[in-house]
Amino acid sequence: MKPPSQSNSAASQPQTAASAEFHDTDREVIETKIREALETLSQIRVTVMNHESADEQVLQQRVDRLVKGYAEMHTIKDRLNVSVPEEVLAYIRDGRNPDEFTSQFMERVASENQFTNGKIAALTNFKHEFEEKLREFFPEESSARLDRQKPPKVDS
């Protein structure tokens, strides 16, 4: 929960070019900080696995660097306006790769797009066939009505 001294007015205002640039810079900084935190966690893991008494100072320095990085990320987080879908968070909680979600989502969208394009093509074919049959069986009535429904041609 945010302290009362912080307001959400920045989030409710339209984003200007300057604020978009500021947001991109913050996003890049937070991404860098996350990479650094992951690297530090990896180094801490190696230090702990090969633990010797001389490594305690190195371990303490790495933990301090990790905490400092987390503190820097915490100060930047309020300036970011990032929305992560709940499904992606569920993937991460389940120990799955979020890139797998993205891949499956793109496949699903492509499949739905193909299905929709198929429906459009089928309806377009049906419309043309229907108009042909109307002209064949009701030439006088259909010609006047169908010609009125066609969009006017634009001369270029």
Side-chain angles (χ1 to χ4, degrees), residues 80-102:
L80 293 175
N81 185 17
V82 177
S83 176
V84 177
E86 185 61 37
E87 295 90 358
V88 173
L89 297 176
Y91 261 65
I92 294 169
R93 274 193 298 270
D94 294 342
R96 296 164 64 186
N97 187 342
D99 290 339
E100 181 182 324
F101 172 83
T102 304

Side-chain angles (χ1 to χ4, degrees), residues 15-50:
Q15 194 175 29
T16 63
S19 66
E21 183 178 318
F22 183 69
H23 176 74
D24 287 343
T25 302
D26 284 340
R27 185 179 52 85
E28 291 169 4
V29 169
I30 203 88
E31 287 175 359
T32 302
K33 293 294 178 191
I34 289 171
R35 280 189 212 98
E36 289 172 359
L38 290 172
E39 179 62 29
T40 303
L41 284 168
S42 177
Q43 292 172 354
I44 289 171
R45 181 180 153 270
V46 169
T47 304
V48 169
M49 297 292 275
N50 301 327

Side-chain angles (χ1 to χ4, degrees), residues 6-141:
Q6 294 179 348
S7 69
N8 288 334
S9 62
S12 62
Q13 295 175 354
Q15 194 175 29
T16 63
S19 66
E21 183 178 318
F22 183 69
H23 176 74
D24 287 343
T25 302
D26 284 340
R27 185 179 52 85
E28 291 169 4
V29 169
I30 203 88
E31 287 175 359
T32 302
K33 293 294 178 191
I34 289 171
R35 280 189 212 98
E36 289 172 359
L38 290 172
E39 179 62 29
T40 303
L41 284 168
S42 177
Q43 292 172 354
I44 289 171
R45 181 180 153 270
V46 169
T47 304
V48 169
M49 297 292 275
N50 301 327
H51 185 69
E52 295 177 11
S53 60
D55 292 337
E56 287 184 32
Q57 185 178 5
V58 172
L59 179 61
Q60 184 62 42
Q61 290 171 347
R62 290 179 177 163
V63 170
D64 289 343
R65 183 176 30 177
L66 181 65
V67 170
K68 182 182 174 191
Y70 283 155
E72 290 170 356
M73 284 188 267
H74 184 74
T75 60
I76 294 171
K77 76 169 175 61
D78 292 331
R79 296 190 308 240
L80 293 175
N81 185 17
V82 177
S83 176
V84 177
E86 185 61 37
E87 295 90 358
V88 173
L89 297 176
Y91 261 65
I92 294 169
R93 274 193 298 270
D94 294 342
R96 296 164 64 186
N97 187 342
D99 290 339
E100 181 182 324
F101 172 83
T102 304
S103 175
Q104 290 175 353
F105 181 78
M106 293 302 291
E107 288 174 11
R108 192 169 59 242
V109 168
S111 174
E112 290 174 10
N113 187 33
Q114 287 178 334
F115 181 73
T116 302
N117 287 339
K119 281 184 169 182
I120 291 169
L123 287 172
T124 302
N125 288 339
F126 174 76
K127 177 185 173 229
H128 293 306
E129 287 184 35
F130 186 70
E131 288 174 352
E132 283 179 30
K133 295 297 180 184
L134 280 176
R135 283 192 176 101
E136 181 181 328
F137 292 105
F138 305 103
E140 294 171 8
E141 297 90 352

